[in-house]
Amino acid sequence: MQGEPVTVSTSARRLTAAALTAAALTAAIAVPASATDPRPHRQGVEISQVQYDSPGPDDRSNRSLNQEWVEITNNTRRSVNLDGWTLSDADGHTYTFDHYRLGGRSTVRVHTGLGRDSRTDLFQDRRAYVWNNDRDRATLRNDHGRFIDDASWGRRHFHH
C-alpha cells in the first residue's frame, strides 16, 4: 500500500474547549454526508488526502517531488479565500497560500516541487521532500493562525 494516497477520516477528532467553538461554527456550514460516505460530519475546509510517500525512488527529481502532495477540500457551496492560510509539517516547513480562492465543492492539490500554479494544483517550489514517510503531521491553519484541520501518520497508522 506504500505510495498510494491515504483518504483521511474525520471521525476521530480531538476537541478542546477552543475547538468546540470552531466545531460549532463548522457544523453550521457542514455538508450532510451521503449514505456511502463513512464520515458523518465534514468540515467546511479540510485536509482530504495526503500522498506523503511519492511512488518510485526518492531521487529528489522534480517529478518525484511533485508526486508528494496534500489535498485540501472545500465541502461548502461557497468559495473560500485561502490567502494567508498555511500548510505545515511537524518540523515547521510551512507553505503559505498566496491570493488563492478555493471554489465551492472543490479540491486543490498542493505539490512539494516546482510548477505553475493553477486552479486545481499549487506548488511549494521546494527542491527537497517535506512530508516524512515514516511519520509526520500536516496542519492547516487559517490566515489568523487558527487551527482548521490536521492529518498525521506513523509507521502503521494514519490519524485525522
Side-chain angles (χ1 to χ4, degrees):
M1 186 155 181
Q2 191 174 21
E4 293 182 21
V6 178
T7 301
V8 178
S9 169
T10 59
S11 60
R13 298 239 175 253
R14 283 169 257 121
L15 296 176
T16 62
L20 286 173
T21 303
L25 293 173
T26 301
I29 59 170
V31 177
S34 69
T36 60
D37 189 342
R39 297 179 290 183
H41 301 287
R42 299 175 97 188
Q43 292 194 145
V45 176
E46 67 179 356
I47 296 173
S48 51
Q49 287 192 53
V50 178
Q51 174 69 56
Y52 53 84
D53 184 7
S54 63
D58 288 347
D59 59 7
R60 289 178 69 151
S61 67
N62 195 55
R63 182 173 187 262
S64 179
L65 289 167
N66 282 331
Q67 289 180 1
E68 177 183 85
W69 45 260
V70 175
E71 283 188 348
I72 309 297
T73 299
N74 175 4
N75 294 305
T76 71
R77 290 184 181 135
R78 300 178 141 242
S79 66
V80 176
N81 184 357
L82 299 186
D83 188 38
W85 287 40
T86 60
L87 179 64
S88 59
D89 74 344
D91 293 325
H93 299 104
T94 302
Y95 170 76
T96 302
F97 292 83
D98 185 31
H99 301 293
Y100 181 79
R101 182 172 289 277
L102 182 57
R105 304 216 193 287
S106 296
T107 296
V108 64
R109 186 174 280 186
V110 181
H111 301 270
T112 298
L114 302 167
R116 184 180 296 251
D117 291 345
S118 70
R119 189 176 49 80
T120 58
D121 294 277
L122 298 174
F123 297 85
Q124 296 189 48
D125 294 334
R126 295 181 183 273
R127 297 183 189 276
Y129 298 97
V130 171
W131 310 108
N132 298 333
N133 294 348
D134 58 347
R135 66 176 58 115
D136 210 338
R137 176 183 305 276
T139 303
L140 181 66
R141 294 184 181 277
N142 71 12
D143 56 332
H144 299 293
R146 290 199 179 116
F147 174 87
I148 300 297
D149 197 17
D150 70 351
S152 62
W153 53 95
R155 293 196 187 280
R156 293 180 201 80
H157 304 289
F158 188 83
H159 304 285
H160 185 60

